Amino acid sequence: MKASRWFEQLAAVTILAGVAGVASASNDRLVLTGSSTVAPLVSEIGKRFEKQNPGIRVDVQTGGSSRGVADTRSGLVNIGMVSRALNSGEHDLVAHAIAMDGVGIILHRSNPVQTLTDEQVKAIYRGQITHWSEVGGKDVRITVVNKAEGRSTLELFLHHFALKNSEIKAQVVIGENQQGIKTVAGNPGAVGYVSIGTAEYEAARGTPIKLLPMAGVAATVDNIRDGRFPLSRPLNLVTKGAPTGLAKRFIEFARSGAVNDLVEAQFFVPLAR
Amino acid sequence: MIWSKPSSSSRWHADRWLEPSLGLLAMGAALILLLVLAFLLHEAWPLLSEGDLLHLFTDGGWYPLEGHFGLLPMLWATLAAALGAVLLAGPLGLASAIFQQFYAPSALARLYRTVLALLAGIPSVVYGLWGLTVLVPLIARWQPPGASLFAAILILALMILPTIALTSASALAAVPKAWLQGAAALGLTRKGVIMGVAIPAARSGILGGILLASARALGETMAVLMVAGNVVQNPTGLFEPVRVLTANIALEMAYATGTHRAGLFASGLLLTLLVLALAWMAARITRSAHPV
């Protein structure tokens, strides 16, 4: 008897909440779709935004940068997430960068090789160059360290060097950046690529790795922030025209210094301010 | 049978409640296993329903974003790593069990058992970290790249050694003293007693322990992930990098969507079936070869 009454009350509350939810969905709910690289960061930012603005819900869904562009265009979502700069055919959209993503090539500190051209990196990863002596180093076998499928660093690396993952002949496949750094630090013949933020921090703390410059630009967080480092990209929120209302408030929050710690926790680089 | 007539009505009352509630709990545990299997099937379904199941085994490589879902190289790698570890840790574990049961002075045997129990309790990620920073560079100096099937076998052997040693020791301890004394009275040497009586009598317990350890070796993730190199290829040499099924899931789960995700659940399903087959075998061996 008691249980059934309790159940009725619960049902009533649920229905009421449901009605209220539908009624106010348009004002209190922000929907974002797009890049799976940007999504984890935005969902963290969204959680903080929800905490500071009670009653507001931020709904983040993935599906790739192109879905972010398409959904924003069609008006299906308030904001799209795109992990690259907008191209010439996307002038109808406005990009709001929230962070930069940069990947650096790392070698063991004892490796005398100081720089590699894009062509050399490509040949090494394709297994066409197998010894460091072929690129001016010692006669040591190269250990190619690659990332596991689905990681954003892999995607950025493949895109920059115009490689397909099935072309790469790796000797070690890693998941986290830290695992990559430990693998290279423990193998004088290894070459790998990891998020620059992590690598710079580790190198400064004495881990025996070094970051290679690319096209004459040193691999530093500062150069990524400026957009000068070639192997980097902006992480964008895009809107159709200038944002208004809730979307505007969210974008301002995501671009503010209040989320720097969240950006760094995902191994991205906060914006220059 | 050990059933005796209930001595008092209150105990009988307790039994009447105990039986169904224990039965319910046991059924719950079994149900969870079924739910896990159903869940794995459900999540892997987008890939499994996509056509013939064979392409999971005939596809040459694992490039889920390019539509290739070959699981076979990882299945072989998983089996090779577990088998290698058992071949290495089995004899060593049995030897240390015999040592502590029959040869070591009792104080030393107690100390040895404590050390083994401690070893068994070390979290696998610690072994992995040690492997990545010490073992792999060591092997790399000899046979680059270092991260290899060999490193995985060594780490796994280290991890399952205490399990095999402890279960073997307790199986040997369970052999009735009278048998050993009888054998000794018949004039058998200590070696004869151990080889001819103790080990045959404890055989099922020892085998059960080894199978239990194999299941752990198959299911181990973090330690292997850190030392095996994780390149998807058939294990053709000891010093080639390989990827095991568990590592495949752990490496890619966080970023997988769509059929890629379903492919990872298919890996999980395959692994679960493998472990179930092993558990079934262990149960059969223990039952059929039970002494007395």
Side-chain angles (χ1 to χ4, degrees):
Chain A
M1 194 61 212
K2 214 172 186 177
S4 79
R5 193 180 303 152
W6 181 82
F7 208 80
E8 272 168 27
Q9 280 172 358
L10 183 75
V13 168
T14 313
I15 290 167
L16 275 178
V19 170
V22 171
S24 60
S26 47
N27 304 332
D28 298 354
R29 194 148 168 256
L30 202 57
V31 186
L32 298 94
T33 62
S35 159
S36 57
T37 310
V38 191
L41 173 60
V42 168
S43 106
E44 288 301 312
I45 294 176
K47 275 180 207 152
R48 190 168 284 177
F49 190 72
E50 282 173 351
K51 206 174 276 172
Q52 293 184 2
N53 300 276
I56 301 233
R57 259 183 60 74
V58 179
D59 195 358
V60 180
Q61 292 163 17
T62 57
S65 294
S66 35
R67 180 177 168 198
V69 168
D71 285 358
T72 312
R73 255 192 197 138
S74 68
L76 206 64
V77 298
N78 315 75
I79 304 174
M81 299 176 287
V82 180
S83 60
R84 54 174 169 76
L86 289 179
N87 61 40
S88 51
E90 294 164 347
H91 280 314
D92 52 327
L93 301 177
V94 183
H96 315 269
I98 56 170
M100 297 292 291
D101 183 17
V103 172
I105 292 178
I106 55 171
L107 307 180
H108 193 270
R109 196 165 56 199
S110 70
N111 196 326
V113 173
Q114 291 303 330
T115 179
L116 291 169
T117 65
D118 279 13
E119 284 312 308
Q120 284 171 331
V121 172
K122 247 175 123 158
I124 287 173
Y125 269 84
R126 277 183 172 151
Q128 291 151 342
I129 293 180
T130 56
H131 286 76
W132 284 112
S133 50
E134 295 171 61
V135 291
K138 292 184 239 172
D139 187 23
V140 177
R141 238 192 115 74
I142 300 177
T143 299
V144 174
V145 182
N146 195 24
K147 282 260 183 171
E149 195 121 359
R151 306 259 164 183
S152 72
T153 28
L154 170 73
E155 190 194 322
L156 179 54
F157 181 83
L158 293 180
H159 182 256
H160 178 85
F161 289 104
L163 285 166
K164 264 169 65 181
N165 199 24
S166 46
E167 289 178 88
I168 291 182
K169 303 268 177 292
Q171 275 81 49
V172 179
V173 175
I174 53 146
E176 302 297 335
N177 287 314
Q178 275 298 342
Q179 197 189 352
I181 288 169
K182 291 214 165 57
T183 302
V184 174
N187 184 339
V191 55
Y193 58 90
V194 293
S195 284
I196 287 182
T198 330
E200 209 180 22
Y201 174 75
E202 284 290 329
R205 280 183 55 215
T207 309
I209 55 165
K210 63 175 177 189
L211 275 156
L212 287 191
M214 285 189 66
V217 182
T220 62
V221 165
D222 291 332
N223 284 337
I224 293 173
R225 196 174 283 142
D226 301 346
R228 278 192 292 157
F229 191 71
L231 207 50
S232 69
R233 58 181 173 180
L235 303 181
N236 282 321
L237 297 182
V238 300
T239 50
K240 197 171 162 187
T244 53
L246 189 58
K248 182 164 180 258
R249 269 171 56 209
F250 182 77
I251 289 172
E252 275 167 5
F253 180 71
R255 282 169 60 82
S256 72
V259 298
N260 272 4
D261 55 324
L262 299 178
V263 172
E264 276 162 4
Q266 308 264 344
F267 305 110
F268 297 134
V269 178
L271 298 176
R273 285 188 192 89
Chain B
M1 291 305 260
I2 47 169
W3 289 111
S4 56
K5 231 176 149 45
S7 57
S8 74
S9 62
S10 75
R11 229 182 90 195
W12 180 81
H13 188 73
D15 275 354
R16 198 176 58 174
W17 285 108
L18 196 61
E19 192 193 327
S21 51
L22 282 181
L24 212 64
L25 287 175
M27 249 158 63
L31 195 69
I32 287 173
L33 176 67
L34 282 182
L35 281 176
V36 167
L37 274 178
F39 172 75
L40 284 173
L41 256 177
H42 176 255
E43 291 290 332
W45 193 247
L47 186 66
L48 301 183
S49 64
E50 218 174 51
D52 58 332
L53 279 176
L54 267 175
H55 74 111
L56 285 181
F57 298 100
T58 52
D59 271 8
W62 170 264
Y63 299 106
L65 298 184
E66 295 170 27
H68 297 293
F69 294 93
L71 289 177
L72 211 52
M74 289 185 272
L75 180 63
W76 292 134
T78 307
L79 289 174
L83 188 71
V86 168
L87 285 181
L88 203 63
L92 276 174
L94 186 56
S96 65
I98 292 171
F99 169 73
Q100 65 157 302
Q101 211 57 41
F102 296 105
Y103 289 96
S106 67
L108 187 63
R110 238 195 332 271
L111 183 74
Y112 193 66
R113 227 189 328 270
T114 316
V115 169
L116 281 177
L118 274 177
L119 266 180
I122 293 180
S124 61
V125 68
V126 176
Y127 284 109
L129 204 58
W130 176 78
L132 180 62
T133 53
V134 179
L135 186 64
V136 169
L138 220 59
I139 300 173
R141 221 176 293 163
W142 171 40
Q143 288 279 351
S148 56
L149 178 61
F150 184 60
I153 287 176
L154 286 186
I155 288 284
L156 281 177
L158 199 63
M159 292 178 61
I160 64 174
L161 179 63
T163 313
I164 294 180
L166 288 172
T167 50
S168 302
S170 60
L172 287 173
V175 175
K177 280 280 173 300
W179 295 13
L180 303 178
Q181 285 163 353
L186 287 173
L188 266 69
T189 57
R190 182 140 68 164
K191 186 181 152 214
V193 173
I194 293 168
M195 301 304 271
V197 179
I199 291 182
R203 197 180 61 214
S204 70
I206 293 170
L207 276 176
I210 288 179
L211 284 175
L212 193 73
S214 318
R216 185 175 180 201
L218 284 177
E220 178 47 45
T221 309
M222 274 323 286
V224 181
L225 170 76
M226 290 165 102
V227 303
N230 305 318
V231 177
V232 182
Q233 57 180 357
N234 282 314
T236 48
L238 262 185
F239 299 103
E240 296 293 318
V242 294
R243 186 187 296 187
V244 297
L245 287 166
T246 47
N248 190 40
I249 301 173
L251 268 176
E252 301 187 355
M253 201 67 223
Y255 300 91
T257 49
T259 49
H260 184 189
R261 204 174 113 92
L264 296 181
F265 276 101
S267 322
L269 192 62
L270 189 61
L271 189 71
T272 311
L273 293 178
L274 212 62
V275 174
L276 280 182
L278 205 69
W280 176 75
M281 237 160 73
R284 262 185 72 106
I285 286 175
T286 337
R287 205 179 311 136
S288 67
H290 216 281
V292 227

